[in-house]
Amino acid sequence: MRENEQNLTEDRAQTVNNVRNLGFLAALCMSLTILSSYIVVFSPQFQDRNHWVLGTIGTIACFYAAFKALQPLCEINLVRPFHASWIFWVVMVATAYFKERFYSAEFMLIFFTLFTLSAISWTILNFRLARVTQNQLFKIYVYMFILSVLSGYIAVFAKAQIGSALHWANILITATSQGLLVGAWYDVDDVDDVD
């Protein structure tokens, strides 16, 4: 009986370790992909979007694997807000593709609505991760993420020029937010079975 309990504990520890590694890799991939969009602004030679598409696919695949492995260890549903966030995001990217060709107020409204819905789902997911992992860095990340979304909206609506103080503030807030996400995943060491 004790040997079975020890095996279950070891299996759980291995699962948590795998989840942490996958989440860390996904967060790192996501951060590099997001921050590369700022590099493109300053360096036109990085305009090729293949790295961006590959980074996004890698991010989604690693996060999906992490949440699928983590879900059986907790009662809180993590997969549903993950799916919602990325579905809204993928549709938003498709909308952005058309927005470049058919610029109109309707497309902008759809784009920002989808982005906001994706951000809300992502926020819910990370608050749940904070509860499940008892890692407060996820909560701090959420607040910084919300701030980065707001700073991004302000930069867009204020038509901030590249290199302006508002543009640099947005980059700094976004980079800090992404750094917190990477750190939060790196710090995952256990999962509590909370409902």
Side-chain angles (χ1 to χ4, degrees), residues 27 60 92 95 107 114 161 166:
I60 293 172
M92 178 199 72
T95 303
F107 272 111
L114 290 168
Q161 297 296 315
L166 190 56

Side-chain angles (χ1 to χ4, degrees), residues 101-141:
R101 286 161 173 67
F102 310 108
Y103 184 85
S104 69
E106 291 83 15
F107 272 111
M108 289 299 288
L109 179 63
I110 292 168
F111 177 83
F112 282 111
T113 301
L114 290 168
F115 183 81
T116 302
L117 291 171
S118 178
I120 289 169
S121 301
W122 188 249
T123 298
I124 290 168
L125 172 63
N126 282 282
F127 271 130
R128 289 181 180 182
L129 279 170
R131 278 187 68 200
V132 166
T133 62
Q134 297 298 305
N135 183 348
Q136 296 308 305
L137 266 181
F138 280 109
K139 276 189 183 176
I140 296 168
Y141 160 71

Side-chain angles (χ1 to χ4, degrees), residues 6-190:
Q6 185 177 356
N7 286 341
L8 287 173
T9 304
E10 287 174 2
D11 289 345
R12 182 181 176 89
Q14 184 60 44
T15 299
V16 170
N17 189 44
N18 290 342
V19 165
R20 180 185 61 240
N21 292 339
L22 285 166
F24 175 75
L25 182 61
L28 192 61
C29 213
M30 178 180 173
S31 298
L32 293 173
T33 303
I34 288 172
L35 295 175
S36 72
S37 65
Y38 291 107
I39 294 170
V40 166
V41 170
F42 293 107
S43 303
Q45 65 267 29
F46 292 110
Q47 295 265 337
D48 180 24
R49 294 185 181 181
N50 289 336
H51 71 280
W52 191 81
V53 171
L54 291 174
T56 301
I57 291 169
T59 299
I60 293 172
C62 288
F63 270 137
Y64 180 77
F67 292 127
K68 282 302 262 187
L70 183 58
Q71 189 60 67
L73 302 180
C74 59
E75 294 292 321
I76 295 177
N77 193 321
L78 299 171
V79 176
R80 189 175 301 139
F82 169 74
H83 284 158
S85 177
W86 284 98
I87 287 169
F88 287 132
W89 189 84
V90 167
V91 175
M92 178 199 72
V93 169
T95 303
Y97 175 78
F98 290 111
K99 178 181 69 84
E100 288 179 1
R101 286 161 173 67
F102 310 108
Y103 184 85
S104 69
E106 291 83 15
F107 272 111
M108 289 299 288
L109 179 63
I110 292 168
F111 177 83
F112 282 111
T113 301
L114 290 168
F115 183 81
T116 302
L117 291 171
S118 178
I120 289 169
S121 301
W122 188 249
T123 298
I124 290 168
L125 172 63
N126 282 282
F127 271 130
R128 289 181 180 182
L129 279 170
R131 278 187 68 200
V132 166
T133 62
Q134 297 298 305
N135 183 348
Q136 296 308 305
L137 266 181
F138 280 109
K139 276 189 183 176
I140 296 168
Y141 160 71
V142 167
Y143 297 126
M144 193 55 118
F145 170 72
I146 291 168
L147 186 61
S148 77
V149 168
L150 292 175
S151 75
Y153 278 160
I154 291 168
V156 167
F157 290 120
K159 296 181 180 173
Q161 297 296 315
I162 296 170
S164 68
L166 190 56
H167 185 250
W168 281 108
N170 184 34
I171 292 173
L172 181 62
I173 291 168
T174 302
T176 303
S177 167
Q178 291 308 122
L180 285 167
L181 180 63
V182 171
W185 276 103
Y186 183 77
D187 234 15
V188 169
D189 58 2
D190 200 7

